[in-house]
Amino acid sequence: MNIPQLQIQTTPAKIDMQVTEPVQEIQQPKATLSIEQPAAILEISTTRPQLSLDTTENRADIDLKSVFRRTAENAQYGMRKMQEGAARRAQEGQQLMKIENGSTIADIVKQNTEKPMAELQVKFVGDRTKIKMSFSEGSLDINITPQKPKIDAQINKPIHNYTPGKVSVEMQQYGSIQIDWKV
């Protein structure tokens, strides 16, 4: 006995897929930065110190006197010598009045003509204690004004490139079914 047979033949469907990956590029450029530091403002003011030395007395010790001082000293010297001369003449007149005491004109002449010997001496001049000194202090003022830095920052936008991906689908093989009856 022959039994009928059912034969089924299938061919599977085949799909071909081509995938192109998407490409994304992102670059972030650095910020543009400009920094400038201005120099500080420096102000310096000074007052000079003053030193004053008065050496008038030391100069007078070495006979470097002003005209006014020399004139005054000569006037005093003349006055003193005139007074000494008047006193001497008065004394000589007294001596001559008392001639009976043994004073003679020769004695008076001898007194006036004999001078004592001058002594030689070493004399140091320029005594430093006679210098008159005055001093006024100076001053120094320093002012510093700092300057703030100048900062300029520019943010750069990111560079973004995007290439989208693709998917292409093709049927490589179509599916099929064949059914046969065999008797």
Side-chain angles (χ1 to χ4, degrees):
M1 148 157 141
N2 276 343
I3 300 176
Q5 286 184 344
L6 180 64
Q7 281 187 339
I8 302 175
Q9 242 185 353
T10 60
T11 306
K14 290 185 182 177
I15 299 174
D16 184 26
M17 287 178 50
Q18 300 257 336
V19 178
T20 306
E21 295 287 327
V23 178
Q24 179 170 308
E25 294 176 348
I26 299 175
Q27 292 179 344
Q28 177 63 57
K30 293 182 179 179
T32 305
L33 187 62
S34 171
I35 300 175
E36 184 181 334
Q37 176 65 59
I41 298 170
L42 178 64
E43 296 173 349
I44 300 174
S45 63
T46 59
T47 304
R48 299 179 102 178
Q50 294 288 324
L51 174 63
S52 175
L53 300 173
D54 183 6
T55 59
T56 306
E57 293 303 315
N58 284 55
R59 292 173 61 84
D61 286 350
I62 57 173
D63 203 31
L64 296 174
K65 301 174 186 175
S66 69
V67 173
F68 302 110
R69 184 168 179 170
R70 194 172 298 277
T71 303
E73 286 179 358
N74 285 339
Q76 287 176 353
Y77 178 76
M79 185 67 81
R80 190 176 65 246
K81 285 300 183 181
M82 189 256 332
Q83 289 171 350
E84 288 174 4
R88 189 184 76 230
R89 282 182 181 70
Q91 179 191 8
E92 288 173 357
Q94 291 293 327
Q95 283 178 346
L96 286 175
M97 282 190 335
K98 297 180 181 173
I99 209 159
E100 66 274 359
N101 292 343
S103 292
T104 62
I105 295 177
D107 290 335
I108 295 172
V109 171
K110 188 176 180 183
Q111 284 176 0
N112 290 336
T113 55
E114 284 184 2
K115 301 254 178 182
M117 292 283 288
E119 295 181 24
L120 292 176
Q121 295 180 355
V122 176
K123 182 179 178 184
F124 294 98
V125 294
D127 185 5
R128 65 181 172 89
T129 59
K130 291 182 180 178
I131 297 175
K132 295 177 185 171
M133 184 174 19
S134 67
F135 178 74
S136 65
E137 294 180 355
S139 66
L140 174 65
D141 294 325
I142 299 174
N143 290 325
I144 300 173
T145 307
Q147 300 294 315
K148 292 185 177 180
K150 295 177 182 175
I151 300 173
D152 183 25
Q154 278 186 324
I155 300 171
N156 295 321
K157 291 183 178 180
I159 300 169
H160 183 233
N161 292 324
Y162 177 71
T163 306
K166 271 187 183 177
V167 176
S168 58
V169 179
E170 287 182 10
M171 273 311 267
Q172 198 174 31
Q173 178 179 330
Y174 289 100
S176 64
I177 297 179
Q178 289 181 354
I179 301 174
D180 265 343
W181 286 97
K182 283 193 179 179
V183 185

